[in-house]
Amino acid sequence: MREHFDHIYLEEHQRVCHFRNHYELTRKNLMAKNLKRLKRSLEKESKFEAAKCDFFPTTFELPSEYHLFVEEFKKHPSTIWIMKPAGRSQGKGIFLFRKLKDITDWKKEDYFHKEEDKTDREPPETYVVQRYIDNPYLIGGKKFDLRVYVLVTSYVPLTAWLYRSGFARFSNSRFSLDSIGDSFIHLTNVAIQKTAPDYDPEKGCKWSMLELRRYLTSKYGHEVVRDLFLRMDEIFIKSLHSVQKIMINDKHCFELYGFDILIDDTLKPWIIEVNAAPSLTASSPTDYDLKFGLLEDMLHVVDMEGRLSGNEKRVGGFDLFWSDGPVASDELALHCGPPLTYSTNSFLGCYNDREEQLKQLFKLSPLAK
């Protein structure tokens, strides 16, 4: 992509849906490296702020950090680990293991051999190995993760929009640690789950974010759930901050990220990965409506027609929740609890009346007069 950038001139009205080095956040190994660096820098300034960076599991890059991983592995011999190719998606190449001998087949492809054995060998594919979160929050005995959409229109200053709608992706089988080789239990990717023998395409394996928030609120109350979702906001912002200084900013660029978040049984959110090109394939009519609205609202935020004033805090289903700092909210959190004004402009999992909001917004637009 950078090769094309370096040889073309973009007109004022033209936009590109990626930043030049977006992979700093969206490749699993680089995301882990940047989050670790952010945590180290925060430890020098504030232990309190650094403590907020404990939202990603212990991670190593293989083969380059293999020996560091072995040291950590020996400290926690009963831990389950998960191996992921750094540059693949849709659950491809992922597997779990408990013992070092379980990755013998993979190690045959690496370069941990004598120099004379390395001739004519292709370099190994880069993997990340992470501590597997073996206590996920379960609904109906099944594991799930969340897909959350964050739109970044600038890194300097950092300007980020959070989409109200999203979904929870469920596994097709009940959770168990007795079968760590069963991807239908441990991987929630739709590309994996739809190949399960008993998968029902009509029912699917998704809940809307609104349904999930209502379910959690019915069990734990508004305050607990509000705290959970605010901690997710912290994950989104900290992740973007981890790459802000190294991301090549360009006024012609924007990016829609798909954050994958896992909630454990203590209601702690964890970041799993960030997708640079989140799937827009619809698995149901409801999914189609969500993604169609997402794309339409994204184009409204990017505003290539110049219809917006630039002072909007909400456009359709997107809420501006960071603009060189947290954005204060002017709205009530409808369907998210008691009628209290949120301190920050974040409404993930709240009622998304995007069509009504857009009608009102463009009725007031300067171009509508």
Side-chain angles (χ1 to χ4, degrees), residues 40 49 52 77 117 120 131 142-143 149 155 169 193 210 222 237 246 258 286 324 339 355 366:
R40 287 194 300 269
E49 285 298 317
K52 295 181 181 179
D117 296 333
D120 300 325
R131 182 183 67 80
K142 297 181 179 181
K143 177 182 175 180
Y149 297 102
Y155 273 97
R169 304 178 298 184
Q193 295 299 324
L210 178 60
H222 298 296
I237 293 303
I246 59 176
T286 302
D324 204 22
E355 293 184 356

Side-chain angles (χ1 to χ4, degrees), residues 306-323:
R307 303 172 71 187
L308 303 179
S309 67
N311 298 317
E312 291 81 7
K313 291 185 179 180
R314 183 184 176 191
V315 177
F318 277 107
D319 296 290
L320 179 65
F321 76 121
W322 194 271
S323 181

Side-chain angles (χ1 to χ4, degrees), residues 48 51 58 101 137-138 180-181 191 193 217 231 241 243 254 261 296 309 317:
F48 177 75
T58 303
K101 68 177 183 179
Y137 188 88
L138 305 178
I180 64 172
Q193 295 299 324
T217 301
R231 281 185 288 163
H241 277 159
V243 297
F254 66 94
I261 303 293
E296 183 179 28
S309 67

Side-chain angles (χ1 to χ4, degrees), residues 46 106 131 141 144 168 198 233 288 331 334:
S46 167
W106 182 81
R131 182 183 67 80
F144 66 93
D198 55 346
D233 291 346
Y288 176 87
E331 278 194 50
L334 299 175

Side-chain angles (χ1 to χ4, degrees), residues 132-139 141-145 175-177 185-186 262-268 270:
Y132 182 62
I133 301 170
D134 57 8
N135 63 326
Y137 188 88
L138 305 178
I139 296 179
K142 297 181 179 181
K143 177 182 175 180
F144 66 93
D145 69 1
F175 184 77
S176 171
L177 293 176
I185 294 176
H186 299 283
L262 179 74
I263 302 172
D264 69 20
D265 59 11
T266 68
L267 294 184
K268 176 180 178 178
W270 299 83

